[in-house]
Amino acid sequence: MEALKQFKPEWSDWCPGCGNFGILSAEQQAIMELGLNLERVVIVSGIGCSGKLPHFMRVPISGVHTLHGRAIAFATGIKLANPSLEVIVNGGDGDLLGIGVGHFVSVGRRNIDITVVIHDNGVYGLTKGQASPTLLRGIKTKSLPKPNINDAINPLSLALSSGYTFVARGYAYDVKHLKELIKMAIKHKGLAVIDVLQPCPTYNDINTKEWYDKRVYKLEEQSDWDPVVRNENEVKDKLKKALEKSLEWGDRIPIGVFYKNETIPSFEERISQTAPSYYHYYPSSQPIDIEGKLNTLIDDILKEKKVEN
């Protein structure tokens, strides 16, 4: 507990009972228990209540509070500029699946080695509770004048069909379980996403803690559930089962790991096939100029032998 205190903020201004507190605590504990080099951890966020999370992490962890819907794009640039960094994206369902949905889908093609945490509460909490992309059609939360008329995006189905190689769902009020999911996502070699069911006690009076507590169950407690792809021949079957399970919603809502596949090369590995020195001579390690003269040594980057810093 003493070690964990270094992560604790002096204050945070989320509403009392907000699920963001659970996500923050789980993420802090995951980073601590993994023993990560804090100087190489970067937390990236967009706009919304979730966007404040980097402000509540202590130095030497770096935080980047970016533009609305652009957190994944910023995180991609950070990771590619320095592949030795551990990059974690935190964004709301509106931020990542509304204005940012193009980035959310496109990054799946690359399998870049970052972790995306979706703070999924069904509403735009920062702007007073409008329906977000994950709120089901026909649902009327307290700030909506009439029931929502848009169909909902399913984050898990979208991630699976877009190419994410680690797909999971957590629950903000089960911090211990969520912590373990975040640890697995960070350790995963490739693109990971965790859709976190995050009650908003201020604006979403439907999907409350009491509502979720009656419904969530853990996939790992099902004896026949195995989401891990161990060879290429298992991909179609495991992906099909994950997609089917991602559609389960109602009286029972599964949380846990839906799909995990480390047989696909990461984007960084793909780059190194073209630029063999990439891992040893990555962009952020290079001085841009020396005494006003450009110093980007493309020839050295493309050399087949390793180039040390």
Side-chain angles (χ1 to χ4, degrees):
M1 291 302 294
E2 286 298 320
L4 186 59
K5 288 181 180 179
Q6 67 180 306
F7 293 101
K8 295 295 184 182
E10 295 293 337
W11 61 277
S12 56
D13 60 358
W14 289 318
C15 300
C18 177
N20 280 327
F21 287 104
I23 298 174
L24 173 63
S25 180
E27 203 161 303
Q28 290 169 333
Q29 292 180 53
I31 292 170
M32 180 194 71
E33 292 183 13
L34 287 174
L36 300 178
N37 181 346
L38 302 185
E39 294 183 351
R40 293 191 173 276
V41 176
V42 183
I43 310 295
V44 184
S45 72
I47 301 301
C49 298
S50 61
K52 299 177 180 181
L53 189 139
H55 298 272
F56 305 145
M57 288 284 190
R58 290 290 189 89
V59 292
I61 291 176
S62 297
V64 185
H65 194 166
T66 74
L67 304 175
H68 194 23
R70 305 296 181 258
I72 287 177
F74 275 82
T76 297
I78 292 167
K79 182 67 177 182
L80 294 185
N82 186 345
S84 71
L85 297 176
E86 196 64 64
V87 182
I88 304 170
V89 174
N90 283 268
D93 42 331
D95 188 65
L96 293 175
L97 302 173
I99 189 173
V101 72
H103 294 297
F104 183 86
V105 170
S106 292
V107 75
R109 300 169 52 225
R110 302 182 177 96
N111 196 34
I112 189 168
D113 189 14
I114 63 174
T115 299
V116 179
V117 180
I118 306 174
H119 300 226
D120 187 353
N121 57 22
V123 296
Y124 286 93
L126 192 65
T127 52
K128 312 310 179 203
Q130 301 91 335
S132 84
T134 59
L135 188 69
L136 295 177
R137 176 164 52 88
I139 298 296
K140 182 186 180 305
T141 54
K142 63 189 295 185
S143 63
L144 296 180
K146 294 182 179 180
N148 180 32
I149 62 173
N150 291 311
D151 285 314
I153 287 177
N154 184 319
L156 301 182
S157 300
L158 184 61
L160 289 164
S161 59
S162 298
Y164 285 67
T165 52
F166 180 96
V167 178
R169 177 191 281 145
Y171 177 41
Y173 287 161
D174 190 337
V175 175
K176 183 177 179 180
H177 182 257
L178 179 57
K179 173 199 69 177
E180 293 302 321
L181 289 178
I182 294 174
K183 287 167 64 177
M184 286 188 280
I186 291 173
K187 291 165 62 178
H188 175 72
K189 184 178 68 68
L191 180 60
V193 64
I194 305 173
D195 179 40
V196 184
L197 304 175
Q198 181 236 318
C200 174
T202 301
Y203 292 113
N204 189 335
D205 55 343
I206 305 298
N207 307 122
T208 62
K209 178 182 184 297
E210 293 73 23
W211 189 89
Y212 279 123
D213 284 348
K214 296 176 182 177
R215 291 167 170 81
V216 296
Y217 73 93
K218 296 180 175 67
L219 286 171
E220 60 268 28
E221 294 178 354
Q222 310 301 301
S223 59
D224 60 344
W225 185 251
D226 179 11
V228 180
V229 174
R230 294 175 178 82
N231 60 70
E232 294 181 357
N233 296 329
E234 294 182 332
V235 172
K236 288 185 178 179
D237 181 59
K238 294 291 176 72
L239 193 56
K240 179 182 176 182
K241 290 179 179 178
L243 281 165
E244 290 175 347
K245 186 61 70 172
S246 74
L247 299 175
E248 186 176 336
W249 187 272
D251 291 336
R252 283 170 58 79
I253 300 174
I255 60 174
V257 179
F258 286 70
Y259 183 74
K260 177 176 177 162
N261 181 1
E262 290 189 334
T263 68
I264 298 174
S266 70
F267 197 55
E268 299 90 312
E269 290 172 332
R270 301 175 202 181
I271 291 175
S272 69
Q273 293 172 3
T274 301
S277 300
Y278 171 63
Y279 280 111
H280 304 274
Y281 203 58
Y282 44 82
S284 69
S285 69
Q286 305 172 45
I288 296 175
D289 67 81
I290 297 177
E291 296 181 351
K293 294 182 180 181
L294 295 179
N295 193 59
T296 303
L297 305 178
I298 298 299
D299 291 339
D300 283 347
I301 297 172
L302 297 177
K303 284 180 180 177
E304 292 191 7
K305 66 179 182 179
K306 296 179 181 178
V307 178
E308 301 297 340
N309 296 339

